[in-house]
Amino acid sequence: EHVSRPPNAFMVYRSYVWFTKQLDDNDEKNLSCVSKLAADSWKDMNDQARAPFHSVAALAKRKHAELYPDYKYAP
């Protein structure tokens, strides 16, 4: 059984952008477009703005470790 990696802070942010639809009406709403827009805005964010996403990612990592204590990343 394959176990996915826990999300990092950027992955949490990208999901936030996708689910809150923070896109202009003329932006194509597909994953590659959302990823590019999220990456551009992530680069412009300061540490304070990124902090909530790092907190959520840390929580996800702890929960992942509880659910899969023997998990080892293997690409």
Side-chain angles (χ1 to χ4, degrees):
E1 176 185 337
H2 175 73
V3 176
S4 298
R5 294 169 67 183
N8 63 28
F10 175 72
M11 292 167 65
V12 171
Y13 176 68
R14 185 183 64 195
S15 293
Y16 171 78
V17 171
W18 175 263
F19 287 111
T20 58
K21 302 295 187 202
Q22 294 183 353
L23 305 170
D24 294 333
D25 288 336
N26 59 344
D27 287 331
E28 191 175 340
K29 291 179 174 76
N30 63 45
L31 188 56
S32 67
C33 180
V34 170
S35 293
K36 182 177 179 348
L37 292 170
D40 291 343
S41 62
W42 181 258
K43 290 174 192 172
D44 294 336
M45 292 171 71
N46 61 28
D47 290 342
Q48 184 178 3
R50 290 182 181 186
F53 303 103
H54 282 283
S55 295
V56 172
L59 177 63
K61 185 176 182 179
R62 283 193 301 273
K63 285 188 176 193
H64 187 274
E66 290 172 9
L67 291 171
Y68 309 104
D70 297 328
Y71 173 79
K72 299 251 189 298
Y73 175 63

